[in-house]
Amino acid sequence: MKKLLFTLLIGCLLAACGKEAAPGPQVVAHRGYWKAKGSAQNSISSLQNAGRIGAYGSEFDVNLTADGQLVVNHDFTYHDRVIYESTLEALRDTSLRLKNGEIIPTIDEYLAASLEYPAMKLVYELKSKGDPEYEAKALPASVEAIRRHGVEDRVEFISFSLSACKEFAKLMPNCLVEYLGGELAPAEVKALGINGIDYHFSVFDKHPEWVAEAHELGMVVNVWTVDQEADIVRMLGLGCDHITTNEPELAARLIAEFVSNPNPAGKEVPPTK
Ligand code: MG
């Protein structure tokens, strides 16, 4: 009882001092930190590199094979094979390699490797052309894999498929889900039961007011794929929560500078309204 009262007292004191942990902007390594030496996009090594540098999250792309297995790969094709028309065995042919020599990772291999970095979020992009039959297999398989590895509290789901985002939000209501499309205002996305947006930075240049609108609705704002210093600084100025980037170490440095001095002299930050 004394311990509980003490904890409550400390909590109240910190809140009174305004020292509650503010989340602040965060770095998401796009397709992992694949630019590190010896790595490749969407490889296990890229996930490990993102974990090693302490990235908030590692983003990766997931495709479904013809025999209902999930693999980590950006395109619908892998070498000369169409993933949704190929079996897992055909894709795991040892003559087919990622640029760093790895075999295409299964979702189980990727999520198992992520357990080494328990603080890192797993920004799970389901690749989909919006085909209901495909999504009816890929979504439950995704949820099963996430549960099998016990990473429900670490997954943030993203997709260009609005139907996939809506369905995932229903299947895993405690997960952050971010729609990638960019054509909908935050209120329209929220009305579909989706609690985040992840748009290209050109969308926020056109609609800077969407960042504040999303925040007012309690939504998280992610932005892709921001690699240039000026673009990263501008998106931080707009108030984006997550910066998805191929340059995670640069973004981490710029975020640290931004947090210590949000509006430095000589750097113009466009107004949000
Ligand atoms: Mg992606």
Side-chain angles (χ1 to χ4, degrees), residues 30-31 59-61 74 125 127 158 180:
H30 182 239
R31 304 179 196 172
E59 189 263 359
F60 55 102
D61 304 292
H74 180 266
E125 178 175 354
K127 290 299 190 186
I158 60 176
L180 290 165

Side-chain angles (χ1 to χ4, degrees), residues 47-175:
L47 165 80
Q48 292 167 331
N49 290 329
R52 176 177 52 76
I53 64 165
Y56 165 84
S58 185
E59 189 263 359
F60 55 102
D61 304 292
V62 180
N63 274 276
L64 185 75
T65 67
D67 53 345
Q69 305 298 308
L70 295 167
V71 290
V72 179
N73 192 68
H74 180 266
D75 296 341
F76 290 113
T77 56
Y78 180 61
H79 291 273
D80 60 347
R81 300 173 193 191
V82 178
I83 294 177
Y84 57 82
E85 292 174 353
S86 304
T87 62
L88 179 63
E89 191 185 358
L91 297 168
R92 300 271 286 179
D93 181 333
T94 53
S95 70
L96 307 178
R97 301 275 175 168
L98 302 183
K99 284 189 175 158
N100 68 340
E102 285 182 38
I103 307 259
I104 187 172
T106 63
I107 194 64
D108 282 319
E109 287 170 342
Y110 196 93
L111 296 182
S114 81
L115 300 179
E116 206 180 320
Y117 309 96
M120 186 166 67
K121 299 292 184 187
L122 302 165
V123 183
Y124 187 118
E125 178 175 354
L126 181 67
K127 290 299 190 186
S128 168
K129 290 176 175 169
D131 171 23
E133 206 177 310
Y134 175 94
E135 291 185 358
K137 292 177 191 160
L139 282 160
S142 296
V143 171
E144 279 168 30
I146 290 163
R147 291 199 172 127
R148 196 159 55 243
H149 293 275
V151 291
E152 298 94 322
D153 58 344
R154 296 172 54 201
V155 164
E156 298 181 354
F157 182 88
I158 60 176
S159 187
F160 281 98
S161 164
L162 199 52
S163 54
C165 287
K166 284 194 284 187
E167 187 59 22
F168 193 88
K170 279 186 210 153
L171 292 168
M172 303 203 84
N174 296 324
C175 278

